[in-house]
Amino acid sequence: MDFKQFADIFKPTTSIISVEKKPGGTYGDIRIVTGNDSYLDVATRFKALGVDKRELAEFVPNSLYDRYMKKDSNFEEYCYRSAVLGQTMHTYITPSNLPFWISVTMVPLQSDDENIGYCAYTQEFTKAAEADRMTNLSYDVLSQVLNTCIKLRGTGDFYSTINEVIRDIRDMCDADHCCILLSDFKQRKCSVLCEALSSDTELVSMHNYVDDKFFDIVQTWPATIGGGRCIIISKPQDWGSLKQQNPIWYESMTQAGAKSLVLFPLEYRDEIFGFIWAINFNTTMTPKIIDTLGLTTYFIASEIANYQLLDKLETMSTVDMLTGVYNRNAMNRRVDELCGDKAAAQCRVGIVFADLNGLKAVNDNQGHHAGDMLLQKAAQVLKEQFPECEIYRVGGDEFMLITTEMTQQVLEQRAARLREAAAKVENLAFSVGICAETADNVRKAMKEADARMYEDKQRFYSLYPERKRKD
C-alpha cells in the first residue's frame, strides 16, 4: 500500500503508524511511517495555535515515534490496540505540556506483514475544550462521568462524597486500589484525600506510605508523565520502561505488589495539585478506564480546587491569621449556635476572658513586630493550658475561651496555672475572668467573665503601673 497516498486522502492532520508485533501479545518498536501534508507541516499548525515548536525534528519516514515526542505509555497503548488488536480508538485529550486539546482517532489498517501492524492516526486541534467533543464518548463512559458530576455538585458533605466517588471509580476499574493524593510542590507535602481498597487485596492503605520522604517519589511523577496525559502500565514492557525512566518509583511499586497502574495528574489553571490512580485494574478495559478517568479528572480537579478555595476562604473568615486561633467572627457564630441549641440549653458552658497585659507598652517601646510576637506567644500558652477549649481572639489583646466540659472550680485551677505559665515568658501576663453558666445563658456568662477580667486587670496595673496602657 502507498501509505503516503492513503494519508493524503484525509483532511485532518493524519499519520500512518506501524507497531512491531512480539510473541505473547506484546509489541516492540512504534514508528511513524509517513503522514499527509498537514502532519508533515505540524510545526506551522502548532504556531497557529500559539505554540513555539521550533525544536521539532525534521520528519524522516519510518522513524521511531519518540524522535518527535517524549515516550508516552498512553500513546503506545492506543497504537498497540489499534494496529495490533484491530480496534478503532477515539479520545479527546489535552497533553500536559501543550495549551490545546486534541481529538484523536486511530483506525486499524490491513498489513501484508504478519510481524507489523498499521493504523491511521488522525488529530484535530482545538484551542480550548469543546463540549461536543468531550461528550463524543461511549454511553458507559459518559454515564460514569455524569454520575460523578451529579454527586460532587449536589453534595453538602464534600469528604463523604469524594470517598463515595473514589469507591465508584474503583468499582468501574475493577481495581485493587484507587486513590486521590493531594500534593503541594511549594511546601513539598502530600496527603491522602480519599482512597478505596478491594476487600481481598494484599495492597495496604496509602496512609502507610505517605510521609515527608514519600514526596521525593511524588515529585518525579510529572517528569515521568512527560508530555502525555497520564501514565499507563498494563504490559511487561511498560514496567521495563518505568524501571528505566524512574527506577525508584518502579522499585516502590513492585515491592508494594502493583501489577498494573493508571495515573492521572489533577490540574487546575495549569498547576498540578494532586494525582488520581488505579492499581491492579482490569487491563481488558484499559481504553474505557483511560477515557473515563481522563474526563472524570477534568471535573474532579475543578471540584477539589473549588472546595479548597472555599475552605481557604472559610478559614480566613474564621481564623485569626496572626495567632492561628479563631477570630471574633467565629466566636459570634459559636455563641449564636449555643444560644439556639434548645436540646443543649441546660448544658454547662464555661467562659474565660484572658486579656494580654502590657501589649501597648511593648508596641511603643519595641515595635509592632515585638507586639505581634507577644500575641503569638500568648496564643501558644493558652493552647497549652486549655487544650480542650475553643480559643478566640476577640480584640487586639483580648482572648475568649469556651468550654463545655469544665466546672467553675476547674476553670479557676486552670486560670492559676495559666498565670504561672505566662510568668515564665518575658513580658507575658494575663488578666483573667471566669464564669460558668448554662448554654442558654452564655451571653450572661460572657458579660460576667468580662467584668471579672477587668477587675483582675485593675489589680495587675495597681501592682505594675509602668505597664499600664497610655493612650
Side-chain angles (χ1 to χ4, degrees):
M1 179 187 292
D2 186 336
F3 285 125
K4 179 64 171 74
Q5 186 178 20
F6 177 77
D8 286 338
I9 296 173
F10 293 86
K11 287 185 177 180
T13 299
T14 301
S15 59
I16 307 301
I17 294 174
S18 70
V19 179
E20 181 185 8
K21 299 178 183 180
K22 291 278 193 176
T26 60
Y27 62 88
D29 291 342
I30 298 178
R31 299 176 180 273
I32 300 179
V33 179
T34 188
N36 62 7
D37 291 342
S38 178
Y39 175 82
L40 299 180
D41 195 26
V42 71
T44 301
R45 182 174 292 274
F46 279 5
K47 185 177 180 181
L49 289 161
V51 181
D52 184 3
K53 298 297 290 184
R54 286 173 297 180
E55 75 279 8
L56 278 175
E58 181 180 353
F59 181 74
V60 176
N62 213 40
S63 295
L64 293 171
Y65 86 91
D66 55 1
R67 172 184 171 88
Y68 310 103
M69 65 177 81
K70 291 183 178 180
K71 290 186 71 67
D72 181 352
S73 58
N74 189 14
F75 176 77
E76 291 186 10
E77 177 73 24
Y78 273 61
C79 289
Y80 166 75
R81 286 187 171 272
S82 184
V84 177
L85 301 185
Q87 300 173 3
T88 298
M89 309 297 295
H90 172 72
T91 190
Y92 188 50
I93 63 172
T94 175
S96 62
N97 63 336
L98 296 174
F100 53 77
W101 287 72
I102 309 175
S103 179
V104 173
T105 303
M106 289 187 174
V107 179
L109 303 177
Q110 290 287 351
S111 173
D112 54 7
D113 186 337
E114 63 179 10
N115 296 315
I116 300 290
Y118 294 93
C119 67
Y121 174 45
T122 298
Q123 305 169 79
E124 295 180 89
F125 302 87
T126 61
K127 288 187 177 181
E130 295 181 354
D132 58 340
R133 293 181 185 271
M134 294 182 75
T135 56
N136 188 22
L137 299 170
S138 72
Y139 170 80
D140 287 347
V141 170
L142 294 178
S143 177
Q144 179 75 35
V145 174
L146 180 61
N147 182 54
T148 297
C149 291
I150 290 173
K151 286 182 177 180
L152 288 172
R153 295 300 293 174
T155 184
D157 184 343
F158 176 80
Y159 282 105
S160 176
T161 302
I162 199 68
N163 274 281
E164 183 179 348
V165 165
I166 203 67
R167 288 193 296 269
D168 290 344
I169 292 174
R170 193 208 67 80
D171 290 342
M172 183 276 296
C173 296
D174 189 19
D176 282 353
H177 180 243
C178 282
C179 180
I180 294 178
L181 186 84
L182 300 181
S183 57
D184 186 331
F185 284 84
K186 293 180 181 178
Q187 298 293 325
R188 291 184 54 81
K189 294 181 179 179
C190 55
S191 61
V192 176
L193 175 63
C194 58
E195 66 177 343
L197 288 148
S198 66
S199 58
D200 57 352
T201 184
E202 295 182 359
L203 298 177
V204 299
S205 169
M206 279 301 300
H207 290 285
N208 291 283
Y209 297 100
V210 175
D211 55 23
D212 292 340
K213 292 183 179 180
F214 186 74
F215 189 82
D216 292 340
I217 294 177
V218 173
Q219 70 177 355
T220 67
W221 294 349
T224 304
I225 295 170
R229 64 191 297 218
C230 65
I231 296 171
I232 304 167
I233 301 175
S234 60
K235 294 176 290 299
Q237 61 259 51
D238 297 335
W239 285 109
S241 178
L242 181 67
K243 183 177 182 180
Q244 182 178 13
Q245 188 176 4
N246 195 331
I248 295 176
W249 188 26
Y250 167 84
E251 191 69 24
S252 173
M253 290 291 294
T254 52
Q255 286 184 359
K259 300 178 180 63
S260 60
L261 166 75
V262 56
L263 179 144
F264 279 82
L266 295 172
E267 297 181 80
Y268 185 72
R269 294 183 176 176
D270 298 325
E271 288 191 12
I272 295 175
F273 66 88
F275 300 86
I276 182 173
W277 67 76
I279 298 176
N280 296 348
F281 61 90
N282 186 342
T283 56
T284 65
M285 300 166 54
T286 299
K288 177 185 175 182
I289 290 171
I290 294 171
D291 283 344
T292 304
L293 284 181
L295 187 53
T296 299
T297 53
Y298 180 80
F299 295 104
I300 287 178
S302 177
E303 288 298 321
I304 293 176
N306 183 56
Y307 177 79
Q308 288 181 325
L309 174 61
L310 292 175
D311 190 49
K312 184 177 181 180
L313 292 174
E314 175 68 16
T315 298
M316 292 175 66
S317 72
T318 59
V319 174
D320 177 59
M321 293 296 108
L322 176 63
T323 62
V325 301
Y326 293 117
N327 61 19
R328 190 180 190 89
N329 183 40
M331 181 202 73
N332 290 333
R333 292 187 193 177
R334 180 60 169 139
V335 171
D336 289 343
E337 181 183 282
L338 288 168
C339 293
D341 188 354
K342 295 181 180 179
Q346 297 307 306
C347 293
R348 301 295 294 179
V349 173
I351 299 295
V352 179
F353 269 100
D355 199 73
L356 183 58
N357 294 323
L359 178 63
K360 178 68 163 55
V362 172
N363 283 333
D364 290 345
N365 297 329
Q366 302 179 39
H368 285 277
H369 176 70
D372 288 346
M373 295 290 290
L374 186 61
L375 281 165
Q376 290 172 343
K377 291 176 182 177
Q380 184 59 39
V381 171
L382 286 169
K383 292 175 185 177
E384 292 170 354
Q385 298 303 317
F386 293 89
E388 314 92 331
C389 293
E390 303 161 19
I391 305 175
Y392 303 85
R393 183 184 175 199
V394 297
D397 54 7
E398 191 171 8
F399 296 86
M400 189 184 89
L401 290 72
I402 299 177
T403 177
T404 56
E405 299 178 358
M406 298 181 191
T407 64
Q408 180 86 15
Q409 183 180 5
V410 172
L411 284 173
E412 288 173 354
Q413 293 172 352
R414 289 291 188 88
R417 285 168 45 184
L418 174 65
R419 291 187 178 95
E420 292 174 1
K424 298 176 182 178
V425 180
E426 184 180 2
N427 291 326
L428 185 61
F430 289 103
S431 292
V432 182
I434 298 166
C435 185
E437 265 286 0
T438 54
D440 57 350
N441 286 320
V442 66
R443 288 194 172 91
K444 177 183 175 182
M446 291 169 61
K447 185 176 181 180
E448 183 64 27
D450 191 43
R452 293 174 183 174
M453 181 269 291
Y454 275 104
E455 291 174 1
D456 192 37
K457 184 176 285 290
Q458 288 177 349
R459 287 192 292 270
F460 176 84
Y461 285 130
S462 68
L463 295 172
Y464 306 98
E466 73 280 2
R467 297 178 66 176
K468 187 173 183 179
R469 176 171 181 159
K470 297 178 181 179
D471 296 322

